[in-house]
Amino acid sequence: GIQVEQSPPDLILQEGANSTLRCNFSDSVNNLQWFHQNPWGQLINLFYIPSGTKQNGRLSATTVATERYSLLYISSSQTTDSGVYFCAVVTYSGAGSYQLTFGKGTKLSVIP
Amino acid sequence: DAGITQSPRHKVTETGTPVTLRCHQTENHRYMYWYRQDPGHGLRLIHYSYGVKDTDKGEVSDGYSVSRSKTEDFLLTLESATSSQTSVYFCAISERPGDGEQFFGPGTRLTVL
């Protein structure tokens, strides 16, 4: 099956710093999503971005499908950005069905 | 936020007992999914449904069964719980299968003693 690798696995930032999280995938995909899992365990949708660039406030994402990677940019980080960021890709698994495969996540800690 | 609720939110049970987790949605989405989240593994698909009474297996389906008698409800059953099924279980929904965005419920933390 498809491999989804996220880097770095852990990241510690000072409040106000910027960061880039990376997601590499081993095959072509139908779509790609970025999620934030907050410290309470809730999975929050950040971006649905099979290709191109999107921005939402201090966060933006870029997916280059032809080169099989996606980047999540966090600018002016805040303590509320702490948590785990997951990349997930959808691939066709045959017989009309699709599968969402998650990376193992990047754990972000923003310190005051 | 997508209208997805899961019940119970927390459950402790003993090995060998049956357990049923419920996912309820108010979005009228056709597709529903059950995932489990374990340290070091991320989220993995257990079963999914593509319509009422239409279900299929995911990556880690052994030991689990599902049912969907109404569009809004998707049940996950552990017929005889084992300690290896201790996990956090998430339900998700989407309007379309392949290129549709998935939205997740709040999760159920299950502990099997």
Side-chain angles (χ1 to χ4, degrees):
Chain A
I2 192 168
Q3 303 299 312
V4 182
E5 296 183 357
Q6 293 186 241
S7 59
D10 295 279
L11 184 60
I12 300 174
L13 293 178
Q14 200 78 37
E15 196 169 23
N18 303 328
S19 63
T20 301
L21 282 58
R22 187 177 180 99
C23 173
N24 292 333
F25 41 97
S26 60
D27 205 345
S28 58
V29 300
N30 293 79
N31 84 51
L32 185 146
Q33 291 186 242
W34 281 98
F35 297 91
H36 174 215
Q37 188 167 38
N38 64 23
W40 296 270
Q42 179 80 34
L43 280 163
I44 300 163
N45 288 42
L46 297 178
F47 294 101
Y48 167 66
I49 184 167
S51 63
T53 296
K54 291 186 177 180
Q55 181 152 8
N56 184 4
R58 296 181 296 103
L59 274 61
S60 65
T62 295
T63 297
V64 184
T66 53
E67 297 187 21
R68 300 178 184 170
Y69 73 89
S70 183
L71 302 174
L72 177 68
Y73 304 96
I74 304 174
S75 64
S76 304
S77 58
Q78 301 175 358
T79 55
T80 53
D81 294 332
S82 295
V84 182
Y85 289 80
F86 288 103
C87 165
V89 300
V90 172
T91 53
Y92 181 64
S93 52
S97 65
Y98 295 82
Q99 178 156 335
L100 186 66
T101 303
F102 282 76
K104 294 186 177 180
T106 292
K107 184 177 181 181
L108 175 64
S109 302
V110 181
I111 55 177
Chain B
D1 289 343
I4 311 167
T5 56
Q6 293 185 230
S7 59
R9 294 292 313 279
H10 302 271
K11 186 172 182 65
V12 179
T13 191
E14 294 190 350
T15 297
T17 60
V19 176
T20 296
L21 309 182
R22 179 181 183 238
C23 176
H24 179 79
Q25 60 141 332
T26 58
E27 306 296 320
N28 201 35
H29 283 0
R30 179 179 174 185
Y31 298 88
M32 299 185 74
Y33 312 81
W34 277 108
Y35 293 86
R36 60 178 288 173
Q37 184 178 27
D38 305 290
H41 289 280
L43 279 85
R44 294 177 293 173
L45 181 66
I46 305 171
H47 281 280
Y48 64 98
S49 170
Y50 47 97
V52 173
K53 297 186 180 179
D54 292 323
T55 64
D56 206 347
K57 296 178 179 180
E59 178 186 358
V60 290
S61 59
D62 287 348
Y64 302 95
S65 62
V66 290
S67 64
R68 191 168 176 201
S69 59
K70 299 185 289 185
T71 298
E72 58 266 34
D73 289 327
F74 192 30
L75 303 181
L76 177 71
T77 297
L78 292 65
E79 300 289 348
S80 178
T82 67
S83 59
S84 65
Q85 294 175 312
T86 292
S87 187
V88 180
Y89 292 86
F90 287 94
C91 171
I93 64 173
S94 69
E95 279 192 285
R96 302 185 306 276
D99 58 354
E101 189 173 2
Q102 289 194 21
F103 297 90
F104 283 76
T108 294
R109 183 173 295 276
L110 175 67
T111 302
V112 183
L113 302 176

